[in-house]
């Protein structure tokens, strides 16, 4: 990409950016506010429910649900990095949709950290299912609590490393005096369009790192599920086969949604040139997927459904006991 400065734009330190967001008048903004609010509230409630449920129910204290709880925590934080600011901007005039330079750095850093961590966590979850189904005798040792903790810690460290690199490369660029970001949050593609310098290296870094992360984690997922599919098909028990396909199907649905949208945005050469498409795609991986993940895992997972039922029964019994004590 060539430098984008011109004679009317001087290179100067920016104090703040303006997030242009989506086009449209007050009615469109009100509709978008309602949509984002519903998606965000459902995402918060769903992921909080999964975290609480897995924490309280001893039957869900296994490696699979340990990773799922961490995925819910990441999704909870991930959507919270983007949604509150976007919601406030939908109710503001264009001149009020500003974010400080430091605020933009912080938002992008945590967005990149959590997004990358989720990619690694999904690969770890696929590896966990591979070990549980294909090597059940070795599973208690190969996926011990200490191993699981290291895998989760490694996912966060990988996300942090990528975030540091992406943030450093992006915000070390000089930006033109035009401070309007053509997006509803701080992201690499729209920020590169504001740069006054050649961004070729930055684009190569973004596509290279994101491509490496997506390809490597996708290979782990595909290899794991290739072996899992073969193992399940050789099983004689129809009930066991159905349960395993149901559990693995939930994970594959979540993986396909996440990797598909991230690939469209960050790992294709034309991503930087299609910001309107990018905004719509961004809604998927910042709000829709964090909202869908707990629904996918709860609706297609009998263990989670049973835990929800037990938790409901427990609270119902507590309320009845309290009501009796109050009445007496």
């Amino acid at each position: 990409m060539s430098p984008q400065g011109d004679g009317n734009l001087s290179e100067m330190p920016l104090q703040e950016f303006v997030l242009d967001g989506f086009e449209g008048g007050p009615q469109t903004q009100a509709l978008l506010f309602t949509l984002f609010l519903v998606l965000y509230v459902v995402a918060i409630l769903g992921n909080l429910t999964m975290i609480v449920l897995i924490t309280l129910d001893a039957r869900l204290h296994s490696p699979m649900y340990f990773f799922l709880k961490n995925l819910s925590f990441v999704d909870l934080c991930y959507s919270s990095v983007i949604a509150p600011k976007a919601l406030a901007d939908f109710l503001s005039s264009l001149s009020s949709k500003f974010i400080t330079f430091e605020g933009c750095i912080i938002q992008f850093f945590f967005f990149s950290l959590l997004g990358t961590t989720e990619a690694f966590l999904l690969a770890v979850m696929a590896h966990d299912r591979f070990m549980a189904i294909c090597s059940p005798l070795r599973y208690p040792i190969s996926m011990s609590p200490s191993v699981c903790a290291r895998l989760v810690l490694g996912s966060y460290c990988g996300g942090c490393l990528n975030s540091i690199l992406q943030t450093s490369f992006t915000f070390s660029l000089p930006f033109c005096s035009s401070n309007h970001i053509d997006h509803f949050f701080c992201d690499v593609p729209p920020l590169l369009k504001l740069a006054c310098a050649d961004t070729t290296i930055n684009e190569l870094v973004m596509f290279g790192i994101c491509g490496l992360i997506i390809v490597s984690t996708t290979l782990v997922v595909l290899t794991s599920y290739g072996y899992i599919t073969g193992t399940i098909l050789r099983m004689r028990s129809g009930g066991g086969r159905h349960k395993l396909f149901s559990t693995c199907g939930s994970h594959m649905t979540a993986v396909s949604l996440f990797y598909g949208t991230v690939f469209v945005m960050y790992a294709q050469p034309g991503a930087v040139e299609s910001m309107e498409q990018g905004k719509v795609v961004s809604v998927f991986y910042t709000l829709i997927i964090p909202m869908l993940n707990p629904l996918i895992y709860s609706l297609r997972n009998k263990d989670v459904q049973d835990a929800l039922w037990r938790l409901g029964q427990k609270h119902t019994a507590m309320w009845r006991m309290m009501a009796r004590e109050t009445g007496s």
Side-chain angles (χ1 to χ4, degrees), residues 169-217:
F169 271 90
T170 302
F171 289 93
S172 63
L173 289 168
F175 295 101
C176 301
S177 57
S178 174
N179 62 343
H180 285 257
I181 298 177
D182 188 18
H183 216 304
F184 61 93
F185 68 95
C186 295
D187 199 6
V188 172
L191 283 167
L192 293 184
K193 288 183 173 291
L194 303 182
C196 301
D198 187 0
T199 60
T200 302
I201 294 178
N202 295 76
E203 291 182 30
L204 289 175
V205 168
M206 181 180 74
F207 292 136
I209 295 177
C210 292
L212 178 63
I213 292 171
I214 293 172
V215 170
S216 60
T217 52

Side-chain angles (χ1 to χ4, degrees), residues 25-47:
Q27 290 184 336
T28 302
Q29 299 301 310
L31 180 62
L32 289 170
F33 173 83
T34 304
L35 175 63
F36 270 56
L37 181 62
V38 170
L39 292 175
Y40 182 52
V41 169
V42 174
I44 292 293
L45 293 177
N47 286 293

Side-chain angles (χ1 to χ4, degrees), residues 70-121:
N70 278 275
L71 180 67
S72 293
F73 174 75
V74 168
D75 280 337
L76 182 68
C77 298
Y78 193 33
S79 56
S80 296
V81 168
I82 306 299
K85 174 60 178 169
L87 288 169
D89 287 346
F90 286 134
L91 301 179
S92 307
S93 61
L94 183 60
S95 60
S96 302
K97 297 181 179 182
F98 66 87
I99 183 171
T100 64
F101 189 82
E102 293 77 11
C104 192
I105 293 175
I106 293 171
Q107 185 187 57
F108 175 74
F109 177 84
F110 283 103
F111 161 74
S112 180
L113 186 157
L114 294 164
T116 308
T117 300
E118 177 151 350
F120 286 128
L121 273 177

